[in-house]
Amino acid sequence: MTNKGHNYMESNSLKVYIRTYGCQMNEYDSEIMAGLLENSGYHLTDNPAEAGVILLNTCYVREKVKHKIYSRLGELKKLKEEKPELILGLCGCLVQKEPEEVLRRAPYLDFILGTSNFYQLPEVLEDISGNHNRESQSGDKYARVVRVEEDRAIPEGMPKLRKRRFSAFVSIMRGCNNFCSYCNVPYVRGREVSRPCKDILREIEELAQKGYKEVTLLGQNVNSYGKESREKVDFADLLGFVDQIEGLRRIRFTTSHPKDLSDKLLEKMAELDKVCEHLHLPVQSGSNKILSRMKRGYTREHYQNLVDKLRQAIPEIALTTDIIVGFPGEEEKDFQDTLELVETVGFDGAFTFCYSPLKGTEAAQLEERIPEETSGQRLRRLIELQQKILLRKNEFLVGKEVEIMVEKISKKSSDELQGRTRTNKMVVFEGRKELIGNIISVKIVASGCWALRGEVSSC
Ligand code: SAH
Ligand code: SF4
């Protein structure tokens, strides 16, 4: 693609600002869009005020996120009024879920792209440039571009502009077949489609050659990788292949569904050197009644049994989770079950949410809604308990030597660096900038809830 279509605009029209909401999968898609744009002659900017194109890559996992996005759009509308040549677009899960509503609430958008259309961004911008200043039949100033299709295959081999230099996200599959009763994902991301193993391996080999030391394999349910494909490669096999890639030092993956974590995978995790000792295993609730209403497909006992097996196979493993409180029908005793499970398992981290009813999901039809005040109180109690547990666990690390990968200069102080342990804990320490990208050993000298403090012991 050439830049001819943009000659009519000021030079900064070639600058694109992308804001990403939500999960790592969205970040990965934004990296693809950024790569495609760079290849087409655009430049990325961190400053929306100097951009000629503003794109929001949206999420719709809870109502709160949706409100945030609409309120940001309201602000951008004002910017567009001041700067009519500004091209404003929306892509991602919110668009896929409610395209008509998006266009009704934000008729000033120049384009919207669904979750299977995002990679068409450069050609869409070209189209808009061509239509610029032309009256559309509907009387809009520009013809708006709307591309929202379902389950369209995403091409392989697209360029990516990665945000990080040593650690990369690699999508291994898209979509989800689980239909947990509260969740939007199957509706906005479609059914499960696994990427061919050879394409995944090629992407990771290229990353390793460029000096990347860590990859995080992404999927809504990585444990079901390959199930729908004709290739006879499951997730455990894939991990085995990735582990052999030269230069790569660490492998992470997310998300694992407790109902699909096989013994074969567990053994592989224990056996493969590069697979880090951390597992994100969302439990959602500790009550069997609520788990069944959530349609999660496992019981509390199954989850606890998995935890026991994981700890037996990998004693140092850190476990993190997601928990929803205030799900319809959650009585105090169900919530107590959740608190008790959290205490027994002793998670190293938990993303905690108040249940948010989402139109079109099964749970939105359920009665016995929990008042917001009750959910809010439960959330606070849960967070308080989890913080106590985490403090206790992190204190236990003081005095120990740990391996970290140095990621960047610390957010809090420019004299300090930060890195992550194999168990995914953040460590802040004093050190030279040249250490960034290296895997080093540090001694933990102090602990806290969000980060540990370390001292460099050897390189
Ligand atoms: N695929 C992942 C989760 C993706 S969504 C999995 O199966 O675990 C990330 C998290 O958002 C979920 O684990 C859940 O805890 C939370 N979530 C999803 N839908 C929600 C809703 N309607 N209300 C509150 N939290 C929700
Ligand atoms: Fe949503 Fe359940 Fe699929 Fe996770 S497994 S994405 S929570 S439907």
Side-chain angles (χ1 to χ4, degrees):
M1 187 182 114
T2 66
N3 297 324
K4 276 187 291 191
H6 302 277
N7 288 343
Y8 65 92
M9 289 193 249
E10 298 161 27
S11 61
N12 72 358
S13 64
L14 292 178
K15 289 191 181 156
V16 185
Y17 170 83
I18 303 179
R19 164 79 205 269
T20 310
Y21 294 83
C23 66
Q24 293 109 323
M25 191 61 95
N26 259 12
E27 280 185 44
Y28 182 77
D29 289 349
S30 289
E31 290 181 344
I32 295 179
M33 287 189 280
L36 288 165
L37 288 172
E38 280 252 324
N39 274 14
S40 307
Y42 295 87
H43 299 287
L44 273 291
T45 172
D46 288 335
N47 180 3
E50 65 166 26
V53 181
I54 295 184
L55 171 67
L56 307 185
N57 186 6
T58 65
C59 162
Y60 191 2
V61 78
R62 281 170 296 280
E63 285 291 311
K64 238 188 191 168
V65 196
K66 168 172 145 176
H67 296 319
K68 217 162 115 184
I69 295 165
Y70 279 123
S71 115
R72 181 68 180 131
L73 270 177
E75 291 162 20
L76 292 173
K77 180 185 179 212
K78 287 189 203 124
L79 192 65
K80 201 166 158 63
E81 280 162 1
E82 288 161 24
K83 222 170 115 177
E85 74 281 9
L86 177 69
I87 296 175
L88 198 57
L90 218 64
C91 67
C93 297
L94 177 60
V95 171
Q96 191 72 36
K97 179 77 191 257
E98 47 180 48
E100 292 88 10
E101 178 73 2
V102 164
L103 292 175
R104 191 185 64 73
R105 291 182 67 167
Y108 45 86
L109 281 168
D110 294 283
F111 68 93
I112 59 168
L113 292 172
T115 49
S116 305
N117 301 87
F118 68 91
Y119 66 91
Q120 298 162 331
L121 179 61
E123 66 184 71
V124 165
L125 290 180
E126 184 104 330
D127 277 3
I128 292 171
S129 310
N131 285 329
H132 199 86
N133 286 337
R134 269 188 231 152
E135 292 284 322
S136 77
Q137 284 175 347
S138 61
D140 288 346
K141 191 166 179 208
Y142 320 114
R144 191 197 287 135
V145 180
V146 175
R147 295 197 190 175
V148 183
E149 288 157 79
E150 272 175 31
D151 286 349
R152 193 188 162 107
I154 312 284
E156 283 296 335
M158 281 183 291
K160 293 165 200 83
L161 189 69
R162 310 255 181 198
K163 270 206 165 153
R164 300 175 301 164
R165 278 170 47 218
F166 305 102
S167 177
F169 292 133
V170 175
S171 152
I172 62 164
M173 60 198 296
R174 289 181 177 271
C176 183
N177 292 351
N178 283 319
F179 289 92
C180 300
S181 65
Y182 50 83
C183 184
N184 247 346
V185 170
Y187 304 98
V188 295
R189 291 264 173 191
R191 297 300 85 75
E192 275 171 16
V193 183
S194 301
R195 283 181 68 195
C197 176
K198 67 170 186 353
D199 293 320
I200 297 171
L201 296 178
R202 191 186 311 128
E203 182 173 342
I204 302 176
E205 276 158 13
E206 283 170 14
L207 285 166
Q209 280 157 16
K210 286 184 189 152
Y212 280 83
K213 301 213 164 99
E214 179 179 279
V215 286
T216 304
L217 310 177
L218 298 179
Q220 293 300 341
N221 179 14
V222 291
N223 302 346
S224 61
Y225 172 81
K227 277 190 183 158
E228 87 306 336
S229 131
R230 266 191 273 149
E231 288 186 320
K232 293 274 169 280
V233 178
D234 64 14
F235 184 58
D237 300 328
L238 178 69
L239 276 186
F241 295 135
V242 177
D243 195 74
Q244 286 166 26
I245 294 178
E246 219 175 294
L248 192 70
R249 300 279 299 275
R250 289 174 162 198
I251 304 169
R252 301 186 185 280
F253 53 87
T254 195
T255 302
S256 283
H257 196 300
K259 79 176 165 54
D260 295 319
L261 205 152
S262 65
D263 285 346
K264 177 179 170 188
L265 175 59
L266 215 142
E267 281 159 26
K268 276 277 174 195
M269 287 171 61
E271 171 199 319
L272 301 173
D273 287 343
K274 294 178 188 170
V275 174
C276 288
E277 294 75 26
H278 167 230
L279 185 67
H280 186 64
L281 195 62
V283 65
Q284 312 297 357
S285 170
S287 149
N288 281 338
K289 177 183 106 189
I290 298 300
L291 285 172
S292 154
R293 291 187 139 214
M294 288 177 165
K295 298 240 155 97
R296 285 291 284 175
Y298 55 84
T299 59
R300 169 201 178 97
E301 291 72 26
H302 173 85
Y303 189 91
Q304 184 68 59
N305 186 35
L306 266 184
V307 170
D308 294 344
K309 284 205 277 187
L310 279 160
R311 291 225 165 106
Q312 217 161 28
I314 312 162
E316 63 278 39
I317 197 162
L319 295 171
T320 54
T321 200
D322 292 348
I323 296 172
I324 300 175
V325 299
F327 191 78
E330 185 188 70
E331 294 170 77
E332 176 60 25
K333 66 176 187 308
D334 299 305
F335 178 62
Q336 285 296 337
D337 284 347
T338 299
L339 292 180
E340 197 190 282
L341 183 86
V342 166
E343 182 80 70
T344 331
V345 173
F347 289 108
D348 292 86
F351 295 106
T352 50
F353 311 101
C354 282
Y355 168 67
S356 165
L358 300 171
K359 212 163 68 191
T361 60
E362 219 182 301
Q365 315 290 330
L366 292 175
E367 288 171 4
E368 299 172 75
R369 289 264 180 97
I370 306 302
E372 263 178 42
E373 203 187 316
T374 312
S375 297
Q377 277 169 5
R378 287 181 185 163
L379 188 71
R380 284 192 290 279
R381 285 161 67 194
L382 176 62
I383 293 173
E384 204 177 303
L385 171 66
Q386 178 52 34
Q387 286 197 346
K388 265 193 220 151
I389 294 170
L390 190 54
L391 271 177
R392 201 165 67 211
K393 295 196 78 149
N394 285 350
E395 263 164 31
F396 179 73
L397 291 171
V398 176
K400 302 222 162 36
E401 290 279 334
V402 293
E403 176 203 287
I404 62 164
M405 188 176 95
V406 187
E407 290 178 347
K408 55 185 173 189
I409 293 173
S410 157
K411 276 192 192 133
K412 288 210 174 117
S413 153
S414 57
D415 297 334
E416 292 181 328
L417 302 175
Q418 68 184 55
R420 276 185 192 273
T421 63
R422 285 174 61 95
T423 52
N424 210 29
K425 290 184 187 278
M426 202 213 286
V427 180
V428 178
F429 64 102
E430 271 179 35
R432 293 170 291 114
K433 265 199 277 191
E434 294 71 45
L435 286 175
I436 294 174
N438 285 289
I439 292 185
I440 63 169
S441 178
V442 293
K443 185 175 178 178
I444 302 301
V445 291
S447 70
C449 231
W450 305 116
L452 302 161
R453 175 155 292 281
E455 271 174 14
V456 182
S457 26
S458 69
C459 289

